[in-house]
Amino acid sequence: MSEVIPLRPRTSRLPRTARRAQLLEVALKVFVEQGYHSASMDEIAERAGVSKPVLYQHFPGKLDLYLALLETSCDTVIDGVKTALASTTDNRKRVKATMELWYDYVAGQGEAFRLVFESDLTNDPSVREQVDRVIEESAAAIAEVIHEDTGLPGAASHLLAVSLVGMGHVGARNWLSADSSLTRDEAVQLAAGLAWRGIGGFPRNEDDTNQGDE
């Protein structure tokens, strides 16, 4: 049985940005709990403690609200990948940091993760575009590092990067949904080790004493 989220009392007037953030927080729970098609703007307004006109002032329709949530969630993932890559110049550690990003995102922001990767609206072009953007922009950031460090052509760097992204988010999804007996750290270590054994085998443009042994 899904968790019942209590209705909130009518709230006092908030600054526009604060109200928008509050509406997004409530809508995320409703969409993940019920799916896009079953969720209603009436219920979102009730749970947020606002009138429907207030909700529609911020989001003209349910799809607009859903896309705003989706865009925020996608930006979180993409920014996280870029932060992981920038956190060190040691490529072994970069691989681990990137894998940690996916597992932390799944474990810590499960609702947002399901909104992005388990949406019941992926046939809608605007939704599909946002989901694809996570893969493409994350892969583009990783491909840039691969190209700079190995000198591989752009197409080859991109393919390797997409493969690493897939390993991260698909593995993390399975770890969570299968209720694995592995801890988060154990899962990350396995995934990062597998990824490094692959990507670490490509020769670098020049020797770098900061790189770990294979």
Side-chain angles (χ1 to χ4, degrees):
M1 180 179 294
S2 59
E3 178 187 0
V4 177
I5 304 173
L7 303 182
R8 298 187 182 185
R10 295 295 180 189
T11 56
S12 58
R13 186 175 181 84
L14 293 175
R16 184 172 181 82
T17 54
R19 177 65 74 196
R20 179 183 173 88
Q22 182 228 358
L23 293 173
L24 288 172
E25 178 186 355
V26 172
L28 174 61
K29 295 182 181 298
V30 175
F31 281 130
V32 171
E33 176 188 310
Q34 300 183 11
Y36 176 82
H37 296 291
S38 297
S40 71
M41 295 291 271
D42 284 335
E43 182 168 0
I44 292 169
E46 281 296 324
R47 292 192 184 188
V50 301
S51 65
K52 278 185 67 178
V54 169
L55 178 58
Y56 280 109
Q57 285 174 8
H58 292 266
F59 305 100
K62 185 166 73 168
L63 182 59
D64 299 282
L65 175 53
Y66 190 85
L67 289 173
L69 268 174
L70 193 60
E71 182 176 9
T72 299
S73 298
C74 291
D75 287 342
T76 298
V77 177
I78 294 165
D79 291 344
V81 169
K82 292 177 179 178
T83 298
L85 293 173
S87 65
T88 178
T89 57
D90 183 319
N91 284 337
R92 182 197 289 267
K93 292 180 180 178
R94 275 174 168 162
V95 168
K96 184 178 181 183
T98 304
M99 289 300 163
E100 285 177 332
L101 174 278
W102 289 108
Y103 283 81
D104 285 346
Y105 185 64
V106 168
Q109 300 189 50
E111 292 175 336
F113 187 87
R114 288 194 293 274
L115 183 79
V116 176
F117 291 104
E118 298 175 7
S119 170
D120 61 348
L121 200 63
T122 51
N123 288 332
D124 184 284
S126 54
V127 173
R128 185 74 250 170
E129 180 182 357
Q130 287 295 324
V131 176
D132 289 344
R133 183 171 71 88
V134 175
I135 307 300
E136 288 302 318
E137 293 194 22
S138 296
I142 296 171
E144 183 178 354
V145 174
I146 293 174
H147 175 69
E148 289 176 354
D149 283 0
T150 66
L152 286 171
S157 298
H158 182 262
L159 179 61
L160 290 173
V162 170
S163 300
L164 288 172
V165 170
M167 182 185 297
H169 84 76
V170 174
R173 286 172 63 187
N174 178 266
W175 170 73
L176 183 68
S177 63
D179 194 21
S180 175
S181 61
L182 295 171
T183 66
R184 173 266 191 197
D185 288 344
E186 289 170 338
V188 168
Q189 194 65 37
L190 286 169
L194 176 61
W196 177 247
R197 284 180 180 275
I199 198 67
F202 288 90
R204 291 173 56 82
N205 281 329
E206 57 185 31
D207 292 334
D208 186 338
T209 56
N210 288 328
Q211 296 303 305
D213 296 332
E214 292 183 27

